Structure formats: C-alpha cells, structure tokens
C-alpha cells in the first residue's frame, strides 16, 4: 500500500501542476481576447510600391534600349560603306576604260578608212593610167562589170 500512496501523491502533484497550467492558459487566453491586434497592410503596401517603382525603372530602361536598337536597325545597311565605295570606283574605272577604248577604236577606224581611201585612190589612179593607155580593155572591163561580156 505504501506504493499506492506514493503513486496517489505523485498523481495529486501532477494534477495540481496541470490545474495551475490550465489557469495560466485561461488567464493568457483572456488577455489575448481583450488585446486588439490591428490588421495592417501598410508594410506590404510599402514593399509593393517599392517593387513597382523598381519595375517601372527597369521597364523604362528596357524601352530606351529597345528604342535605340530600333533606331540603329532603321539606319542599318546590308552592304557596308567600303563595299559601296569599291563598287563605285570599279564602275568609274570600267566606264572610263570603255570610253577610252571606244574613242581609240573610232580613231583607228577613221585612220584605217583614210588609209583605205588612199590605197583605193592610188589603185584607181593606176587603173586609170592603165585604161588610158589601153582604151579597149577599159570597155571590156566595163562590160564585164555589168555582166554583159561573154568573150572570155
């Protein structure tokens, strides 16, 4: 029985500690009910506004970069300037050479025509001298040119 008394005594102590803990919890619960905790979104709104301002600044930077890229793309060329310059120079050289060779060939044609005329004049002169010496042959030659001479 002694053990049963000890156990009962321990139980009584535990019950007493439990009762004091329950009373303390009731007291704290009452204080909690009486206490007014205002629900405030001030801190959240402040953080949200800060975040929105940062987002707006980032958006403005991005818009500025995109505008700059768009402006550069509008003024961009597919062919670089140095290639255009090289093409222009080669075109000028080609046109100049065509003009030069055309002019020199025209002069050569004129010179050749003059040489041909002098050769023909000299031949005509020699033919005329020959025909003056032999008038019968001249008549036969003229008929032959007209296709009427059958004597050969």
């Amino acid at each position: 029985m002694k053990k049963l008394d000890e156990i009962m005594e321990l139980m009584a102590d535990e019950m007493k500690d439990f009762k004091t803990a329950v009373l303390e919890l009731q007291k704290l619960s009452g204080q909690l009910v009486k206490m007014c905790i205002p629900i405030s979104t001030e801190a959240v709104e402040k953080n949200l506004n800060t975040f929105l301002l940062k987002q707006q600044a980032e958006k403005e930077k991005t818009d500025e970069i995109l505008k700059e890229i768009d402006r550069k793309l509008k003024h961009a060329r597919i062919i670089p300037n140095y290639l255009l310059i090289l093409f222009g120079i080669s075109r000028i050289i080609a046109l100049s050479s065509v003009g030069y060779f055309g002019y020199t060939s025209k002069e050569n044609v004129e010179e050749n025509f003059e040489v041909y005329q002098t050769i023909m004049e000299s031949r005509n002169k020699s033919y005329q001298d020959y025909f003056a010496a032999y008038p019968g042959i001249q008549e036969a030659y003229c008929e032959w040119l007209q296709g009427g001479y059958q004597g050969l």
Side-chain angles (χ1 to χ4, degrees):
M1 287 252 172
K2 225 182 185 187
K3 285 207 180 203
L4 195 56
D5 284 337
E6 282 181 25
I7 291 176
M8 290 301 263
E9 200 176 298
L10 279 173
M11 267 308 241
D13 285 340
E14 288 295 322
M15 293 278 264
K16 188 178 172 186
D17 288 340
F18 182 72
K19 188 178 179 185
T20 55
V22 167
L23 287 173
E24 192 172 329
L25 278 174
Q26 282 179 347
K27 181 181 167 187
L28 288 173
S29 176
Q31 285 179 353
L32 186 61
V33 169
K34 289 178 187 174
M35 190 187 300
C36 180
I37 300 174
I39 298 175
S40 175
T41 59
E42 212 174 288
V44 174
E45 286 178 0
K46 182 179 177 184
N47 286 336
L48 182 63
N49 286 337
T50 305
F51 175 74
L52 289 176
L53 288 174
K54 286 180 183 177
Q55 284 293 92
Q56 183 67 26
E58 286 294 321
K59 185 180 178 289
E60 288 174 2
K61 284 181 186 177
T62 306
D63 287 345
E64 188 66 32
I65 290 170
L66 289 175
K67 284 179 185 176
E68 184 67 23
I69 290 172
D70 189 41
R71 186 186 63 78
K72 286 181 180 179
L73 284 176
K74 283 182 182 177
H75 297 294
R77 291 187 190 158
I78 294 174
I79 301 172
N81 286 340
Y82 69 90
L83 283 179
L84 291 174
I85 292 170
L86 276 171
F87 180 72
I89 290 172
S90 63
R91 196 169 202 180
I92 289 171
I93 290 172
L95 288 174
S96 299
S97 62
V98 165
Y100 172 74
F101 290 125
Y103 177 73
T104 55
S105 105
K106 183 181 175 187
E107 280 186 353
N108 286 340
V109 167
E110 288 175 359
E111 285 178 13
N112 289 341
F113 184 70
E114 287 176 8
V115 168
Y116 175 75
Q117 278 184 336
T118 56
I119 290 173
M120 290 307 288
E121 285 176 4
S122 67
R123 278 189 181 174
N124 281 340
K125 199 172 193 186
S126 64
Y127 284 143
Q128 286 175 0
D129 290 342
Y130 179 75
F131 287 143
Y134 303 101
I137 295 177
Q138 181 182 5
E139 290 173 12
Y141 177 71
C142 288
E143 285 179 22
W144 178 75
L145 284 177
Q146 292 173 358
Y149 188 72
Q150 304 284 333
L152 293 177

